């Protein structure tokens, strides 16, 4: 093809007058701008204004827009916005699933109704939003999007009435668990809205089910079977949880946990005189959560419940609860080292069939990291873990000694145990110094303590951090297990809180001195206890626990009961007679002082360290 003669074009341009030249330049500029705009629009027509973020990282990328609504991120009225994931974005889903064993897509919506739409929302329930996934059936064999109207009979959705919705909220839709997660990954997602709605952002996250109102933007999470949002926050259907989480415990898998957040509101909080409890029905089983100012988060393992994967209904005092969330726990390994987080009120009735080992289960107090509870199958298992330590730490005449297996033969430690991180570190460091061979359970205990941060490893020894450990056994009778759990639980708070220790010491040294002398004589009279009564730390600790293991109303009578024991009367007849004559008032007075302090600081009271009851 013959090219135009540039010289002739220039000569022709020179012959034009000024007006003609301006018009020609303007026309050429307009054509050029139009061409550029066409090129830009062609290049960006599939780019959405909505970004996809990734949990736990700064990764962010734009979604593929399948229509104009998705391109702008705004739905004007009764329409859909359809988005597609890139291959790299689908890799993010795989990464999160591999790291967390669950994965979901959370989308943030902002409702911006016009005045007319707002009137419709107020007067009708027909205004709705819908959230669903796109799969391979929504695209042709060549990858072209097949635009459809949703829902159809096979489409699983999350939906809700916009009338009751907050202006901005997060909706999370989980993907079903699968050994080959790539097989079930969606190709994209869609949002439908009756009123004007902006899709603010999307994020790939670990799956969480339930609702959470603790942040500025409310959260609602659903399993892969979808559901309808109850914006009144009165109930939630967790029946789809079995498609996301393990349904039984083992040393490599752990069932999920419920997290209940409590509102910090003086009108809703319990007081010393008045108890406020939120009542919850989970699968027909009723639970009560005491709302106290010092507690904000309560954890309930799903394995502690009879029918956890069912509907939850919030009954009395539901306004105390700011969130009800079911989330995964990441407990795995050849040995059970990670504790199950829970309120102590659920430990006693936690069925051994849900334990991750045959011989024991470990729990961590949900409110206090660094306090763990061992429950053992029987006293023999418990002795294998703690008997040698009991003699090393507490037993008079044995303290500081590591007894051999032959020396321990026929001896029993205690029916329940409590140890501080420091005393346990001393035990293991002594064994290291002497090259003393510990048994398998004791070596496992050391691993558990290191794993949970009780110890820092320094060369071949360990350095103690804050914390305490409690052990009870299934072999103890139910009423005794309850008392022992409270008794030992108070010990662990004593271990971890210096202010509490100082307060206990002040009460101990200012209480009725004759009553205090009786307590020391009582300890001496019981050979099975073997307490070193010259150890002031131990005496302060046991004084507090013996008082606070039962209800305040039972304290005086408990010590009168001790004063009536034949072994006690024989050992200290005059002091025993004094306790009976004064009807245990010295201990009751001390109990009142301790009880008020612990309620103000921890929200718990004598005889009950739990906030959850059945």
């Amino acid at each position: 093809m013959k090219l135009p003669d540039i010289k002739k074009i220039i000569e022709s341009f020179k012959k034009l007058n000024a007006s003609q030249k301006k018009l020609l330049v303007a026309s050429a500029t307009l054509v050029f701008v139009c061409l550029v705009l066409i090129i830009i629009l062609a290049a960006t027509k599939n780019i959405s204004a909505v970004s996809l973020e990734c949990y736990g990282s700064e990764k962010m990328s734009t979604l593929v827009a399948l229509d104009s609504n998705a391109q702008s991120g705004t739905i004007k009225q009764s329409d859909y916005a359809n988005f597609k994931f890139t291959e790299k974005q689908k890799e993010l889903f795989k990464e999160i699933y591999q790291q967390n064993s669950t994965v979901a897509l959370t989308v943030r919506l902002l409702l911006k109704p016009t005045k007319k739409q707002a009137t419709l929302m107020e007067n009708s329930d027909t205004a709705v939003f819908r959230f669903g996934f796109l799969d391979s059936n929504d695209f042709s064999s060549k990858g072209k999007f097949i635009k459809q109207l949703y829902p159809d009979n096979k489409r699983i959705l999350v939906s809700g009435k916009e009338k009751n919705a907050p202006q901005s909220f997060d909706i999370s839709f989980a993907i079903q668990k699968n050994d080959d997660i790539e097989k079930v990954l969606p190709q994209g997602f869609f949002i439908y809205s009756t009123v004007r709605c902006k899709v603010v952002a999307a994020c790939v996250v670990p799956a969480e089910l339930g609702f959470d109102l603790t942040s500025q933007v409310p959260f609602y999470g659903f399993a892969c079977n979808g559901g309808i949002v109850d914006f009144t926050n009165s109930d939630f259907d967790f029946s789809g949880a079995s498609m996301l989480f393990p349904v039984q415990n083992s040393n490599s898998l752990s069932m999920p946990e419920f997290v209940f957040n409590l509102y910090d509101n003086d009108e809703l909080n319990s007081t010393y005189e008045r108890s406020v409890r939120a009542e919850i029905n989970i699968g027909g089983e009723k639970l009560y959560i005491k709302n106290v100012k010092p507690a904000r988060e309560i954890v309930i393992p799903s394995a502690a419940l009879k029918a956890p994967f069912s509907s939850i209904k919030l009954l009395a005092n539901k306004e105390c609860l700011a969130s009800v969330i079911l989330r995964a726990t990441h407990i795995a390994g050849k040995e059970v080292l990670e504790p199950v987080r829970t309120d102590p009120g659920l430990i006693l009735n936690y069925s051994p069939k849900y334990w991750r080992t045959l011989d024991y289960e470990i729990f961590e107090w949900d409110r206090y990291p660094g306090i763990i509870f061992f429950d053992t199958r029987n006293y023999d298992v418990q002795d294998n873990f703690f008997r040698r330590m009991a003699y090393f730490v507490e037993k008079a005449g044995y303290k500081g000694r590591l007894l051999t297996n032959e020396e321990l033969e026929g001896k029993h430690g205690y029916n329940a145990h409590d140890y501080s991180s420091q005393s346990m570190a001393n035990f293991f460091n002594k064994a290291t110094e002497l090259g003393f061979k510990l048994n398998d359970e004791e070596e496992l205990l050391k691993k558990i303590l290191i794993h949970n941060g009780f110890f820092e490893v320094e060369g071949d020894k360990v350095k103690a951090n804050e914390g305490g450990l409690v052990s009870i056994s299934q072999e103890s009778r139910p009423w005794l297990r309850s008392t022992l759990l409270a008794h030992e639980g108070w010990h662990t708070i004593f271990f971890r809180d210096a202010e509490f220790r100082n307060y206990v010491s002040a009460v101990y040294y200012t209480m009725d001195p004759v009553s205090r002398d009786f307590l020391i004589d009582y300890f001496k009279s019981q050979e099975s206890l073997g307490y070193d009564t010259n150890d002031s730390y131990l005496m302060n600790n046991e004084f507090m626990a013996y008082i606070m293991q039962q209800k305040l109303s039972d304290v005086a009578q408990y010590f009168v009961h001790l004063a009536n024991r034949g072994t006690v009367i024989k050992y200290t007849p005059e002091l025993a007679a004094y306790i009976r004559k004064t009807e245990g008032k010295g201990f009751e007075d001390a109990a009142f002082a301790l009880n008020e302090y612990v309620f103000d600081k921890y929200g718990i009271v004598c005889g009950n360290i739990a906030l959850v009851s059945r």
Side-chain angles (χ1 to χ4, degrees), residues 85 90 93-94 97 101-105 133 172-178 181-187 204-205 207 209 222-225 243-245:
F85 302 126
K90 285 193 279 188
F93 283 89
K94 291 168 62 177
Y97 186 81
S101 302
T102 65
V103 66
L105 177 69
F133 286 126
S172 190
F173 203 169
I175 295 167
Q176 186 170 356
K177 64 184 177 182
N178 194 299
I181 190 64
E182 194 167 359
K183 289 183 178 179
V184 293
L185 287 180
Q187 298 298 311
V204 185
V205 297
L209 309 185
F222 288 82
C224 49
N225 62 337
M243 294 185 278
L244 306 181
F245 306 112

Side-chain angles (χ1 to χ4, degrees), residues 172-341:
S172 190
F173 203 169
I175 295 167
Q176 186 170 356
K177 64 184 177 182
N178 194 299
D179 291 337
D180 186 358
I181 190 64
E182 194 167 359
K183 289 183 178 179
V184 293
L185 287 180
Q187 298 298 311
F189 70 98
F190 67 85
I191 299 293
Y192 170 88
S193 179
T194 303
V195 304
R196 188 169 59 182
C197 172
K198 181 175 178 58
V199 183
V200 179
C203 189
V204 185
V205 297
E208 291 188 348
L209 309 185
F211 69 86
D212 185 353
L213 311 179
T214 58
S215 61
Q216 188 174 359
V217 179
F219 169 90
Y220 298 89
F222 288 82
C224 49
N225 62 337
I228 299 174
V229 180
D230 174 19
F231 286 114
T232 67
N233 310 309
S234 298
D235 58 55
F236 197 91
D237 181 10
F238 289 95
S239 61
S242 61
M243 294 185 278
L244 306 181
F245 306 112
V247 296
Q248 62 183 14
N249 283 337
S250 68
N251 65 339
S252 59
L253 295 172
S254 182
M255 294 173 67
E257 63 185 13
F258 285 97
V259 179
F260 295 82
N261 273 280
L262 303 170
Y263 278 117
D264 185 9
N265 185 323
D266 289 339
E267 293 182 3
L268 301 175
N269 288 331
S270 296
T271 64
Y272 192 71
E273 297 80 17
R274 176 181 64 96
S275 178
V276 178
R277 301 188 305 170
E279 182 181 346
I280 305 159
N281 185 313
I282 305 181
E285 179 183 14
K286 285 189 178 180
L287 292 182
Y288 302 88
I289 299 177
K290 191 175 182 181
N291 188 26
V292 295
K293 190 174 182 62
R296 297 275 60 86
E297 181 180 280
I298 304 296
V299 177
I300 298 179
S302 60
L305 304 173
K306 294 177 181 178
F309 301 154
S310 54
S311 292
I312 283 185
K313 294 187 181 300
L314 307 186
L315 306 174
N317 296 316
K318 74 169 188 175
E319 61 274 11
C320 293
L321 296 173
S323 75
V324 180
I325 289 291
L326 182 64
R327 67 188 183 193
T329 54
H330 309 295
I331 303 172
K334 294 181 180 179
E335 297 173 309
V336 174
L337 306 178
E338 189 85 12
V340 175
R341 294 181 68 221

Side-chain angles (χ1 to χ4, degrees), residues 368-415:
Y368 304 116
I371 294 182
I372 62 174
F373 302 84
F374 266 75
D375 200 356
T376 62
R377 179 164 54 89
N378 53 37
Y379 290 143
D380 287 340
V381 173
Q382 190 179 45
D383 277 345
N384 288 341
F385 274 106
F386 301 109
R387 177 172 51 174
R388 198 186 325 266
M389 188 179 293
Y391 280 84
F392 177 87
V393 174
E394 290 185 350
K395 295 279 190 178
Y398 298 96
K399 285 181 65 173
R401 284 184 54 198
L402 293 174
L403 301 186
T404 64
N405 291 338
E406 291 73 23
E407 290 175 307
L408 287 172
E409 189 68 33
K411 289 182 170 64
H412 176 59
Y414 297 110
N415 292 346

Side-chain angles (χ1 to χ4, degrees), residues 131 367 462:
F131 172 18
R367 296 176 60 196
V462 293

Side-chain angles (χ1 to χ4, degrees), residues 137-148:
N137 295 319
D138 295 302
F139 297 86
S140 69
S141 58
K142 294 183 179 180
K144 185 177 180 181
F145 177 54
I146 305 170
K147 191 168 185 178
Q148 304 179 50

